[in-house]
Amino acid sequence: MKQKEITIRYNEYTSKELSTLQSNLIKQSVKAQESSHSPYSNFRVGAAILLDSGEIILGSNQENAAYPSGLCAERVAIYTCGSNHPTKIIKLIAISASSSQFDINEVLAPCGACRQSMLEFEHKQKADIKVLLKGADGQVVEFNSIKDLLPIPFNCDELQNVS
Ligand code: THU
């Protein structure tokens, strides 16, 4: 038996340490929360994606009375990119959350399904996507790649060769 280890490096910034670009994208993710449809959870999530063209694409969580029919903010935003900007490279995604009912004291870490969905885009565009997660007190956590959020992923290249 061999014991193996995976190390993930990520950056933590105070609000003062953020670049203008990072700070702007975080602000856009907060703006995206305005269109959240979340009457069931009262948990508003916003995602802002920066494309290589400089365009910023927003998405927010969209809930449904039939709960599983809803969709997370990250997937709303990234599928909007896939649908409307299929040839553009996704550089960065900023994610934030808020609630009128309770305090959110930790960064919003994307759910597993969103990580898998975002990984597909990284694979498709053959370039890493950075992730910025907004925490309390202006603190922001940055991951350099979706792979860092989903180590040992399901990623079957052979599926593409099935005819
Ligand atoms: N949600 C997101 O939008 N993104 C995540 O990564 C986690 C959860 C949404 C789904 C649902 O509308 C609400 O947050 C509560 O789970």
Side-chain angles (χ1 to χ4, degrees):
M1 188 272 267
K2 277 187 197 159
Q3 194 172 54
K4 304 213 170 174
E5 191 178 313
I6 296 173
T7 303
I8 297 166
R9 289 180 204 284
Y10 61 95
N11 303 318
E12 195 177 278
Y13 300 89
T14 64
S15 57
K16 285 182 190 154
E17 291 171 329
L18 292 174
S19 68
T20 311
L21 189 145
Q22 288 170 321
S23 159
N24 180 42
L25 210 61
I26 288 286
K27 279 190 195 132
Q28 293 290 323
S29 78
V30 174
K31 183 173 154 42
Q33 291 174 26
E34 289 170 16
S35 64
S36 165
H37 175 64
S38 43
Y40 307 105
S41 70
N42 258 294
F43 192 65
R44 303 166 75 82
V45 185
I49 291 178
L50 176 67
L51 300 175
D52 60 349
S53 59
E55 288 156 287
I56 292 176
I57 308 301
L58 304 184
S60 58
N61 56 330
Q62 300 296 316
E63 296 183 351
N64 192 283
Y67 290 3
S69 301
L71 199 63
C72 293
E74 298 90 321
R75 276 177 284 166
V76 169
I78 209 154
Y79 289 147
T80 300
C81 295
S83 302
N84 298 319
H85 306 277
T87 58
K88 292 176 189 158
I89 300 289
I90 296 170
K91 306 289 282 181
L92 187 56
I93 177 165
I95 306 161
S96 63
S98 66
S99 174
S100 56
Q101 312 265 302
F102 48 88
D103 289 336
I104 298 169
N105 295 317
E106 295 186 2
V107 293
L108 172 76
C111 77
C114 286
R115 293 176 196 214
Q116 182 70 33
S117 302
M118 292 189 287
L119 186 73
E120 180 79 17
F121 280 79
E122 206 169 72
H123 202 58
K124 176 176 137 193
Q125 68 181 25
K126 297 185 178 60
D128 287 350
I129 300 172
K130 286 188 188 241
V131 182
L132 292 174
L133 306 176
K134 183 179 181 293
D137 308 324
Q139 166 227 17
V140 169
V141 171
E142 177 190 55
F143 289 86
N144 289 316
S145 160
I146 307 297
K147 289 186 280 296
D148 290 341
L149 286 169
L150 194 62
I152 319 182
F154 172 70
N155 204 344
C156 186
D157 289 335
E158 283 67 33
L159 279 175
Q160 291 185 2
N161 302 326
V162 177
S163 53

